[in-house]
Amino acid sequence: MTKPSCTAVILAAGKGTRMKSTLPKVLHKIGGKAMVQHVLDAATDAGATLNIVVIGFGADEVQQALAGQAEFVVQQEQLGTGHAVLQAVPLLTAESKTVMVLCGDTPLLTHELLSKLLAAHEEQVAQATVLTATMPDATGYGRVVRDETGQVLKIVEQKDASQDELAIKEVNTGIYCFDQQVLLSTLRELTCDNAQGEYYLTDVISILVKGGMKVAAVSAEDYQETLGINSRSQLAEAELILRRRKLKELMDQGVTIMDVNSTFIDESVTIGTDTVIYPFTWIEGNTKIGSHCEIGPNSRIQNSQIASGVIFHFSYAHEVVIEENVIVGPYVHLRPNTHLSSGVKVGNFVEVKNSMIGKGSKLPHLSYIGDTDMGERVNIGSGTITVNYDGVHKHRTTIEDDAFIGCNANLVAPVVVERGAYVAAGSTITKNVPAQALGVARARQNNLAGWVDRIKNK
Ligand code: UD1
Ligand code: CA
């Protein structure tokens, strides 16, 4: 059997008043990714061949965040979820018989759960199938009212519910599959005769039941997947759940996480087997880490590629490439466009920016290396600075293979220290140093004999 497909309509026009934010609710991030992006990804992976996103509050921002991944329709006034779906009608095509409606604020969804909903909807040949969940605390959700045979009768919003209905723990997750034609005709029957004066999408269910249509329900086994985020507290709860999910996945793949409470790894990150992640570590964005690495403690890595056997501790790296068996840290800042070749060692208060560092080179202490092309087996003495900025332009420094830079040297760019050359400690190098030469650029030492006695006896 071919995998069923559908059109997804994602509701994302609301302001998210309860977030108390200027940012549209659906753009708040969890696991480093906007909530609505999580929903869109799950829908696409579950078989949605067309995604329509209903936008309103912060429309431009939401559209920009999802550009190229969906069609957009603007809901000028947020008159309710039913009204929101109605706005998407002109964009529906004949291609999919089934329309899956989702809310942009349920970021923990998995595509497996959505596939299950879609499959059940097709198998039961229902006109509508609602995804439900049993919540330990159902506050704020619409409750699912069933008859004694278990048939869904209606969904009642919290604000419209009776005491008996409020006691129901089975809630509407806000995710449904509908037969497109049936949905279109029913949407037009909605009224705003309720506590919030809104056109509720949920009323479609009772209208269909009354009209003798087949309404089915699928219950999510794990209610956490369907949590809706309305407040910052719920955002933090969801973040924790997503984080634990990612850490478990990594541990199942053979990564050691020493302290799950203080390790933060984005969903998009991949890590190889037998790598150990020490506490208080953030690994974010498009980061790939190889196997047998030691990462952390107290480290942050963003959008970087790290090969196997790397030791990275007490340091921060963003947009860098690190080859195998490199040692970074403690207290290193690696800035964008830095490439550390295999066997490099960078440690103890060193900053490297926009530089290529060749195999086996060592930058062990207190240096700033910026806009530099460094060869192999170079030794950088403590306190070496590449003087890359003249106040107007940035210039590059070249340090060729086997060069040896003495402590506290300034290399004033543009400048080249050629193959095997030495630079004397304390030099300010402004001219190229030829291969195998010693560059010295400092005042000669002059010792004044008996000077101390003379000034003391004045
Ligand atoms: C909704 C459901 C409720 C369900 C819950 C699940 C209705 C009436 N209620 O309630 O049964 O338990 O979701 O999380 O559907 N939106 C628009 N335009 C609007 C109104 C809302 O696009 O005019 C969007 C919001 O941006 C949001 C989603 O629809 O992404 C849900 O809206 P929200 O206000 O959070 O609904 P709930 O009160 O949570
Ligand atoms: Ca909600």
Side-chain angles (χ1 to χ4, degrees):
M1 201 181 101
T2 56
K3 198 174 153 190
S5 73
C6 65
T7 295
V9 175
I10 300 172
L11 308 185
K15 177 170 189 282
T17 312
R18 292 162 280 184
M19 294 295 281
K20 306 228 164 63
S21 177
T22 54
L23 187 70
K25 174 168 77 173
V26 297
L27 291 187
H28 280 263
K29 286 183 179 174
I30 85 157
K33 195 160 100 176
M35 287 201 251
V36 65
Q37 182 73 61
H38 284 276
V39 175
L40 193 142
D41 288 349
T44 304
D45 292 346
T49 47
L50 169 65
N51 289 297
I52 301 171
V53 182
V54 182
I55 52 179
F57 180 79
D60 291 345
E61 282 172 273
V62 179
Q63 186 163 356
Q64 209 173 359
L66 300 177
Q69 306 175 62
E71 303 279 320
F72 299 91
V73 61
V74 178
Q75 183 192 22
Q76 294 294 357
E77 263 187 293
Q78 281 75 64
L79 301 178
T81 48
H83 180 258
V85 174
L86 198 57
Q87 310 310 303
V89 167
L91 293 185
L92 292 175
T93 62
E95 196 198 325
S96 327
K97 190 172 167 298
T98 302
V99 177
M100 186 187 286
V101 176
L102 305 104
C103 296
D105 65 350
T106 54
L108 297 174
L109 278 180
T110 60
H111 64 89
E112 288 89 351
L113 181 59
L114 297 183
S115 297
K116 196 177 140 191
L117 171 69
L118 191 56
H121 179 72
E122 310 263 308
E123 270 164 39
Q124 302 194 28
V125 205
Q127 268 79 51
T129 306
V130 52
L131 181 65
T132 75
T134 301
M135 295 280 174
D137 177 7
T139 311
Y141 289 93
R143 310 296 205 279
V144 178
V145 180
R146 296 182 186 248
D147 68 11
E148 55 287 352
T149 68
Q151 170 60 45
V152 173
L153 295 179
K154 59 175 180 173
I155 294 165
V156 197
E157 290 307 292
Q158 164 103 14
K159 289 183 179 156
D160 301 290
S162 66
Q163 281 306 322
D164 285 353
E165 288 164 344
L166 286 177
I168 298 172
K169 291 277 184 250
E170 187 184 15
V171 307
N172 168 29
T173 63
I175 302 158
Y176 330 72
C177 284
F178 294 104
D179 175 89
Q180 189 181 140
Q181 287 315 317
V182 171
L183 176 66
L184 296 190
S185 55
T186 317
L187 281 175
R188 300 184 204 285
E189 291 180 38
L190 293 179
T191 64
C192 52
D193 179 19
N194 53 54
Q196 302 186 81
E198 289 184 358
Y199 295 90
Y200 290 164
L201 178 61
T202 44
D203 287 346
V204 167
I205 300 299
S206 54
I207 296 172
L208 292 181
V209 171
K210 280 186 199 139
M213 302 282 190
K214 174 146 191 187
V215 175
V218 169
S219 308
E221 265 164 51
D222 178 3
Y223 74 89
Q224 292 189 329
E225 287 192 27
T226 63
L227 286 172
I229 310 305
N230 297 319
S231 66
R232 304 263 183 172
S233 302
Q234 290 171 330
L235 185 72
E237 266 172 55
E239 179 77 42
L240 187 63
I241 293 166
L242 193 76
R243 189 153 68 80
R244 286 293 171 90
R245 203 192 266 175
K246 176 66 182 181
L247 295 178
K248 179 170 187 310
E249 178 192 307
L250 288 169
M251 290 187 281
D252 289 347
Q253 290 165 359
V255 176
T256 295
I257 310 279
M258 294 199 46
D259 177 20
V260 292
N261 291 314
S262 68
T263 303
F264 303 81
I265 302 179
D266 283 356
E267 221 180 4
S268 45
V269 171
T270 65
I271 303 179
T273 52
D274 288 321
T275 285
V276 179
I277 311 294
Y278 287 84
F280 297 101
T281 294
W282 282 255
I283 307 174
E284 300 165 292
N286 172 31
T287 295
K288 214 175 149 130
I289 296 177
S291 55
H292 298 277
C293 293
E294 290 176 28
I295 308 291
N298 287 36
S299 293
R300 185 170 198 184
I301 300 171
Q302 299 169 312
N303 302 314
S304 294
Q305 312 304 307
I306 296 182
S308 295
V310 169
I311 297 175
F312 187 104
H313 49 165
F314 298 98
S315 293
Y316 177 32
H318 43 133
E319 278 97 55
V320 307
V321 175
I322 300 177
E323 292 183 11
E324 59 279 1
N325 305 322
V326 166
I327 300 176
V328 176
Y331 312 111
V332 168
H333 185 185
L334 300 176
R335 293 171 51 199
N337 294 319
T338 291
H339 184 121
L340 306 181
S341 303
S342 60
V344 162
K345 186 173 186 301
V346 185
N348 306 295
F349 307 99
V350 171
E351 174 180 347
V352 187
K353 181 211 94 174
N354 191 24
S355 294
M356 171 71 198
I357 309 296
K359 280 185 189 154
S361 288
K362 303 213 176 338
L363 300 68
H365 330 270
L366 300 159
S367 285
Y368 169 64
I369 302 295
D371 304 308
T372 296
D373 300 298
M374 191 183 295
E376 302 181 2
R377 298 171 302 279
V378 169
N379 190 64
I380 300 291
S382 175
T384 296
I385 305 292
T386 53
V387 185
N388 60 330
Y389 186 47
D390 60 14
V392 182
H393 298 109
K394 298 276 172 69
H395 301 281
R396 289 196 79 82
T397 299
T398 302
I399 306 171
E400 293 184 355
D401 292 352
D402 301 299
F404 183 101
I405 313 296
C407 291
N408 259 357
N410 296 312
L411 305 177
V412 182
V415 75
V416 181
V417 179
E418 291 181 5
R419 244 161 226 283
Y422 274 50
V423 166
S427 293
T428 293
I429 297 294
T430 53
K431 291 186 295 209
N432 293 357
V433 183
Q436 305 296 123
L438 169 68
V440 193
R442 67 180 187 221
R444 270 182 191 281
Q445 184 172 337
N446 189 9
N447 293 337
L448 304 179
W451 181 87
V452 175
D453 281 344
R454 282 205 302 280
I455 60 153
K456 282 194 173 161
N457 296 331
K458 239 185 194 168

